[in-house]
Amino acid sequence: MTLVVFGIVLSGLIYLVYTSTSHRYKQPRFCHKIKKEDQENSLLHLQSPYGLSYKQPSVVSPDGKVVPVAPWLAPVVWEGTFDPTLIDSIYKQQNITIATTVFALGKYTQFLKDFLESAEQNYFVGFRVHYYVFTDHPENVPAVKLSEEHNLTVLTVPSSNRWQDISLSRMARLEKLIESRLFNEADYVFSLDVDSKFYGRWGVETLGRLVGAIHPGYYQTPREQFPYERRPESQAFIPSAEGDYYYGGAVIGGLVKDVHEVAKTCREQLDIDASKSIEAAWQEESHLNKYFLYNKPSKLLSPEYLWQDFKPHTNEVKIIRYSQVIKNYAAVRPNK
């Protein structure tokens, strides 16, 4: 009998200890910073084989609605596909730095003021940004007031007598900058055209392993009519039956490691073409499209993120965030 009573009492004590401690227990928060190397390793490279036949994807459905995902399940970023407050709060915890390169050579320095001032109002506001301005006229870089976590570095490069050469050298310069600085200084990098302005938010919704922007002039064009390089002797060659989207060379982005691979590969292909006296139809943009066809971007930016000021608004593009300004090419380029 004594043993029975003792057992009951002991069970009661155990229950009291359990219940009292369980009320003090708090649900743990599984919210921790993901290391950059872990993030990189967890994201698969989406490589597509040469010569694969499949239906051309579209960003606008027959009923006029935008398509928010590519056939390989990469998101296409449109207005309404993300919550700015939520996504900003998520990325704020990561303490990231976004490097941003622009090339302002010759008379293109005249576009720097509008580019930088509009960027300060719209581009990764509240996040750490470092602009790298390549120019042959450092004295013409305007003194634009930058926000607290935004910095700017001017990199002086030689002048060129051909705008095509300026375009062709972009990948090599981006590759060298990443190797010399950005591997240690940034998490993500975007290379953007300077002859453009920001008109709306461009934030962390654009970040991804490898990011391409759909060209505003061809997002409803049959791929047979894309201005791809069509000469088989060029390293940028794409057959007429292949192609997903036509990507604008004005925007290249992603993790530093992945953008370095883009720049390095395109530079190597450009060098091979140059050794054969071949210049692709649209210089580095042609090689970029070749790369993106067989190495799928993990995120696509809709034409909201790459527009042209001379184009009228369309029903599917609800907001214009970044757009190439109207200009007289004969007046700003060193050659026609």
Side-chain angles (χ1 to χ4, degrees), residues 77-334:
V77 185
W78 294 93
E79 174 69 7
T81 60
F82 62 94
D83 184 306
T85 301
L86 175 60
I87 197 168
D88 282 354
S89 67
I90 292 172
Y91 276 89
K92 269 291 185 182
Q93 301 173 76
Q94 302 305 314
N95 194 31
I96 57 174
T97 297
I98 303 104
T100 304
T101 68
V102 290
F103 295 80
L105 280 75
K107 295 181 180 179
Y108 273 72
T109 54
Q110 66 185 274
F111 301 112
L112 268 172
K113 188 173 188 295
D114 282 349
F115 176 91
L116 291 169
E117 287 182 347
S118 64
E120 285 302 292
Q121 296 297 316
N122 300 287
Y123 185 70
F124 290 109
V125 175
F127 289 85
R128 190 180 302 113
V129 173
H130 197 141
Y131 303 103
Y132 296 86
V133 178
F134 290 85
T135 183
D136 54 345
H137 292 289
E139 70 281 1
N140 291 340
V141 176
V144 173
K145 184 179 179 180
L146 303 178
S147 61
E148 184 178 353
E149 291 192 290
H150 288 200
N151 296 287
L152 186 148
T153 297
V154 177
L155 303 170
T156 304
V157 295
S159 301
S160 178
N161 293 324
R162 296 177 70 243
W163 68 265
Q164 293 92 340
D165 292 335
I166 296 172
S167 179
L168 289 165
S169 65
R170 177 180 174 185
M171 291 297 188
R173 286 169 174 161
L174 179 58
E175 178 189 10
K176 290 179 181 177
L177 176 65
I178 291 173
E179 291 173 350
S180 63
R181 300 187 62 162
L182 301 191
F183 275 134
N184 298 318
E185 296 180 8
D187 302 290
Y188 296 89
V189 57
F190 275 97
S191 184
L192 304 175
D193 274 6
V194 71
D195 53 340
S196 307
K197 288 178 64 176
F198 294 89
Y199 295 100
R201 172 194 164 97
W202 179 309
V204 292
E205 72 278 359
T206 65
L207 297 179
R209 181 186 61 80
L210 185 59
V211 182
I214 298 171
H215 196 291
Y218 303 99
Y219 68 93
Q220 290 183 296
T221 301
R223 57 186 168 197
E224 295 82 6
Q225 299 175 24
F226 285 166
Y228 288 153
E229 173 55 59
R230 300 299 190 182
R231 294 171 295 173
E233 57 267 32
S234 171
Q235 295 298 307
F237 168 67
I238 296 176
S240 60
E242 295 186 45
D244 297 320
Y245 311 97
Y246 189 79
Y247 299 95
V251 177
I252 307 169
L255 289 168
V256 171
K257 175 177 177 291
D258 290 87
V259 176
H260 176 259
E261 186 62 28
V262 174
K264 180 175 181 289
T265 302
C266 289
R267 190 267 306 160
E268 290 172 346
Q269 303 305 309
L270 284 159
D271 287 347
I272 294 173
D273 272 8
S275 69
K276 301 176 182 178
S277 300
I278 299 172
E279 187 174 290
W282 289 102
Q283 295 80 43
E284 92 285 1
E285 184 175 85
S286 297
H287 290 272
L288 178 68
N289 272 275
K290 173 71 172 288
Y291 187 93
F292 278 165
L293 175 57
Y294 301 113
N295 301 271
K296 307 296 191 190
S298 63
K299 181 173 286 186
L300 281 67
L301 304 184
S302 72
E304 294 175 1
Y305 293 87
L306 180 56
W307 199 248
Q308 295 165 317
D309 280 357
F310 65 81
K311 288 180 66 67
H313 288 203
T314 60
N315 292 332
E316 59 273 4
V317 180
K318 306 300 183 185
I319 179 173
I320 295 172
R321 305 175 187 275
Y322 175 74
S323 182
Q324 296 175 312
V325 302
I326 298 172
K327 52 194 167 292
N328 181 354
Y329 284 107
V332 297
R333 286 177 171 174

